[in-house]
Amino acid sequence: MPLSPEQITRFLKSVHPYDALPLAELERIAPRIDAWEVERDFAVYDLGEKLPGLFIVYEGQVEIRDENDAVVSHLGLRNSFGERGLMRDGHAVTSARADAHSVLLVLPPELFSELMAAHPVVAKFFNRARAPRPQVQSLATSRVETLMTRDPATCAPSTTVQAAAQDMRTRGISSLCVCEGDALVGILTQRDLSGKVVAEARSPDTPVAQVMTPAPLTLAPSAIGSDVLHAMMERHIGHIPIVEAGRLVGMVTQTDLTRFQAVSSAELVSRLARATSAGEMAEVTAEIPRLLVQLVAGGNRHEVVTRLITDIADTATRRLLALAEEKLGPPPVPYLWLACGSQGRQEQTGVSDQDNCLLLDDAVTEAQMPYFQDLARFVCDGLNTCGYVYCPGDMMATNPRWCQPVRIWRDYFRGWIARPNPEAQMLASVMFDLRPIGGHQALFTDLQAETLRAARANSIFVAHMISNSLKHTPPLGLLRGFATIRSGEHRNTLDLKHNGVVPVVDLGRIYALQGELTEVGTRARLEAAEAAGVLSPSGARDLKDAYDLIAETRLEHQAALVRRGEAPDNYLAPTSLSDFERSHLRDAFVVVKTMQSAVGHGKGMLS
């Protein structure tokens, strides 16, 4: 598809950051830009390949995969890709493949470098430095509280060595902490049993007090991994009790250190991809809370943490789809499994249910529908086994309403847009967060584009969606306080999901609707809205900063619960925060409330 320099110039004027360049500069560079017309499944570039330049999607869609062959993103109109490799050594750090017939603009590397050097707006756009990169998660620098096993097994000094040995065998552990009340007085290890009991032929009735190591070395939860490593190597020991305020709170063993080093999102993805059953996969997903703790402790930004956690859910879903096809046979017609909700937005945390649906090729017959009903049941049951519990609202592919041919889905969206009653608003809000997980991507591409166009064109629908988005409000009270939950199990806490991140999620969805933006993730929507002029630079900056603070507070709260041995949730007691933290959190809620007000009054942005 040949494009004239005039066409390229006109297109670049609609794409940030080129829209900030003088017209004469755009006219100068346009003749140096190539246009590639590629078909579906065309390999734009492979990992490690020398890049021909920076790519911009002029038409179509491109799938980006990382070095682990996991899908990073699906890029559509006006999206750029390849800049990371160009800004390093010129070689691709991802792979890119066309999801559909596409036209791509290619800026040669030398032209990209010229623009970066000559125009700060271009350099700022592609650098996008928001904060220093966190150090790679290191065992040596991680706090002991993220390494230790909580509530270690204990025994009394008067316990016999035989009873202690039997207890250790039953629990599958190699040591017992010896306590008098809450006070640690010693430690008994397998080495003590073999060297002091068996080797010296002591009676099985010997009290533990006579063979234990008294007054063992202990560390505090605030110690770091290097303290553990150095102590173990210096003293030739493999167990260190963790004591806080004189009370035993945990134990670190060599096994804990090995396990900590092994847990990473890539390792969990790899294990899921090899799993042969949902039960085997559940053993992997059970490690997600510990991964959450490590990622938060490592200083990773919230969108990185949630993206990595969502990648695990995506892999589990795709593996279950593969296992379903092995069991049921090949599908009779093409299908596409999509996720919505937090998985669709790639924003899963330590607390997630499942929200999904199936799009089927229009050639499907009534006689073939049982196959997809069985496939949906297999996958949804498997996800539930893995800890992604059934959706309370039955927003799942097992519901026949959400397992339909594309033509029915097209009718759904048309109906919701034409008649925006409360149910339609709710369903549209959920379904605008759809993201393909497994199957034939082409089934969704046209549907997504035409739905966004139709939705934006219907001002009544947009107004109803805006009204619906304002139902979730930040928990602001009078006199600079918080409006906490007044009664029930979570009394006097803030719901950091429904009153924290959800208001920003709703705003991002509205901006995407107004700008016909295909991005699904909340932060990506805010950035795209700014680039498209839907959201002003100052409004975008304030809202992104507010969202970051709220989302990271939520993750830190969940990680703290996991460290205490509790299940993660979204309910934070403001009293657990310092005055400084409370002040900043409230300021973030104020920003969100202000942006909601702007949208509600039809302004859509802050100046």
Side-chain angles (χ1 to χ4, degrees):
M1 178 181 178
L3 294 174
S4 68
E6 291 75 21
Q7 287 176 300
I8 293 175
T9 298
R10 190 161 53 248
F11 177 74
L12 290 179
K13 287 171 64 177
S14 71
V15 181
H16 192 70
Y18 313 101
D19 59 350
L21 302 184
L23 178 60
E25 178 71 338
L26 296 180
E27 292 174 340
R28 182 186 73 82
I29 67 175
R32 299 173 62 184
I33 298 175
D34 293 328
W36 290 11
E37 184 172 11
V38 301
E39 297 303 320
R40 182 170 178 262
D41 291 331
F42 174 82
V44 181
Y45 58 73
D46 292 320
L47 181 70
E49 180 177 302
K50 186 74 174 177
L51 288 164
L54 174 75
F55 292 85
I56 309 174
V57 181
Y58 183 91
E59 177 182 305
Q61 184 162 282
V62 175
E63 179 184 79
I64 307 297
R65 289 178 174 265
D66 64 17
E67 63 270 22
N68 296 313
D69 202 36
V71 176
V72 175
S73 57
H74 293 281
L75 303 178
L77 180 67
R78 297 187 181 89
N79 288 151
S80 299
F81 59 101
E83 69 270 17
R84 287 177 57 206
L86 288 174
M87 294 171 67
R88 293 185 181 183
D89 59 1
H91 292 83
V93 295
T94 59
S95 62
R97 189 172 301 274
D99 264 346
H101 174 273
S102 304
V103 177
L104 309 174
L105 299 185
V106 188
L107 282 67
E110 59 273 17
L111 176 57
F112 177 68
S113 298
E114 288 176 19
L115 294 174
M116 290 283 286
H119 300 285
V121 66
V122 177
K124 181 180 179 180
F125 178 81
F126 286 107
N127 284 328
R128 301 188 194 185
R130 294 174 291 146
R133 289 179 178 268
Q135 296 181 346
V136 175
Q137 179 69 358
S138 167
L139 172 64
T141 57
S142 296
R143 286 169 63 98
V144 165
E145 64 184 358
T146 68
L147 310 173
M148 70 185 189
T149 298
R150 296 186 175 275
D151 299 320
T154 64
C155 69
S158 58
T159 304
T160 66
V161 292
Q162 183 179 43
Q166 291 172 339
D167 190 23
M168 290 165 64
R169 181 184 64 184
T170 300
R171 295 172 180 264
I173 57 178
S174 57
S175 67
L176 286 174
C177 290
V178 185
C179 296
E180 289 182 337
D182 289 335
L184 177 73
V185 296
I187 184 171
L188 179 73
T189 67
Q190 288 181 334
R191 182 188 297 178
D192 294 322
L193 293 175
S194 62
K196 300 177 182 178
V197 179
V198 177
E200 297 178 7
R202 294 194 185 217
S203 166
D205 294 328
T206 302
V208 162
Q210 294 183 19
V211 297
M212 69 180 187
T213 300
L217 171 72
T218 65
L219 290 174
S222 59
I224 58 177
S226 58
D227 297 330
V228 177
L229 292 168
H230 295 165
M232 286 185 173
M233 288 186 287
E234 179 183 354
R235 297 171 180 251
H236 304 291
I237 56 177
H239 306 77
I240 298 181
I242 308 303
V243 174
E244 183 175 36
R247 185 173 63 88
L248 177 70
V249 295
M251 169 74 80
V252 177
T253 68
Q254 291 177 336
T255 301
D256 293 320
L257 303 185
T258 302
R259 186 184 298 117
F260 178 90
Q261 290 175 307
V263 175
S264 71
S265 60
E267 190 264 342
L268 297 186
V269 164
S270 176
R271 287 167 56 191
L272 283 172
R274 299 192 306 268
T276 59
S277 68
E280 189 177 332
M281 294 166 66
E283 296 177 3
V284 181
T285 55
E287 298 185 38
I288 290 176
R290 190 146 47 89
L291 174 65
L292 170 69
V293 170
Q294 292 181 205
L295 291 172
V296 172
N300 293 282
R301 295 185 64 88
H302 67 91
E303 68 268 32
V304 173
V305 176
T306 57
R307 175 60 178 273
L308 293 175
I309 290 176
T310 304
D311 284 348
I312 295 170
D314 290 355
T315 303
T317 304
R318 284 190 287 267
R319 183 57 183 153
L320 287 167
L321 287 169
L323 292 174
E325 290 189 24
E326 288 178 13
K327 177 181 179 182
L328 302 173
V333 298
Y335 72 85
L336 179 64
W337 186 282
L338 302 101
C340 45
S342 60
Q343 184 183 1
R345 297 189 304 274
Q346 296 180 298
E347 294 169 0
Q348 287 190 312
T349 66
V351 187
S352 296
D353 58 6
Q354 56 175 292
D355 299 280
N356 46 60
C357 63
L358 268 172
L359 271 66
L360 311 177
D361 190 279
D362 281 337
V364 68
T365 66
E366 194 64 35
Q368 294 168 335
M369 290 300 292
Y371 174 94
F372 294 105
Q373 293 164 1
D374 291 342
L375 180 139
R377 175 58 59 192
F378 183 95
V379 176
C380 289
D381 286 350
L383 289 173
N384 184 69
T385 299
C386 291
Y388 305 102
V389 298
Y390 298 122
C391 174
D394 202 20
M395 190 74 68
M396 298 183 295
T398 48
N399 183 337
R401 188 179 185 185
W402 310 129
C403 177
Q404 293 290 340
V406 173
R407 65 178 183 277
I408 301 299
W409 279 98
R410 186 171 281 109
D411 289 343
Y412 284 164
F413 279 105
R414 286 173 177 167
W416 296 333
I417 293 169
R419 297 176 298 278
N421 56 44
E423 183 192 37
Q425 296 167 34
M426 182 274 292
L427 293 174
S429 294
V430 172
M431 294 304 177
F432 276 140
D433 292 349
L434 285 175
R435 182 172 60 88
I437 302 298
H440 292 256
Q441 168 77 30
L443 294 174
F444 182 61
T445 304
D446 292 342
L447 176 63
Q448 182 189 40
E450 69 181 58
T451 298
L452 285 171
R453 284 195 301 270
R456 183 188 183 190
N458 189 320
S459 58
I460 296 177
F461 174 77
V462 173
H464 278 281
M465 286 290 288
I466 290 174
S467 176
N468 187 62
S469 74
L470 302 180
K471 291 179 180 177
H472 294 106
T473 59
L476 292 170
L478 300 175
L479 304 176
R480 296 192 59 79
F482 293 111
T484 58
I485 297 172
R486 295 184 177 181
S487 61
E489 178 185 0
H490 304 295
R491 184 172 178 267
N492 296 329
T493 66
L494 304 173
D495 185 342
L496 291 179
K497 177 182 178 181
H498 292 102
N499 300 114
V501 298
V502 167
V504 188
V505 169
D506 290 341
L507 284 171
R509 191 181 297 115
I510 294 300
Y511 299 141
L513 178 60
Q514 293 174 330
E516 290 185 40
L517 308 174
T518 57
E519 285 79 2
V520 178
T522 299
R523 208 176 198 287
R525 281 172 166 169
L526 300 181
E527 292 175 348
E530 178 185 8
V534 176
L535 187 60
S536 71
S538 61
R541 181 180 62 251
D542 290 344
L543 189 54
K544 286 187 290 185
D545 287 346
Y547 178 55
D548 290 343
L549 179 62
I550 296 167
E552 285 167 8
T553 299
R554 180 191 185 198
L555 286 180
E556 288 165 1
H557 165 68
Q558 292 188 0
L561 290 174
V562 174
R563 286 196 298 269
R564 296 203 297 265
E566 301 175 28
D569 64 27
N570 295 302
Y571 301 99
L572 172 72
T575 53
S576 68
L577 302 174
S578 67
D579 288 342
F580 178 86
E581 292 169 330
R582 283 196 296 272
S583 175
H584 279 71
L585 183 59
R586 190 186 186 283
D587 288 344
F589 288 146
V590 169
V591 169
V592 177
K593 184 68 175 177
T594 303
M595 297 299 287
Q596 285 185 323
S597 178
V599 169
H601 286 85
K603 299 176 183 177
M605 60 182 77
L606 294 178
S607 60

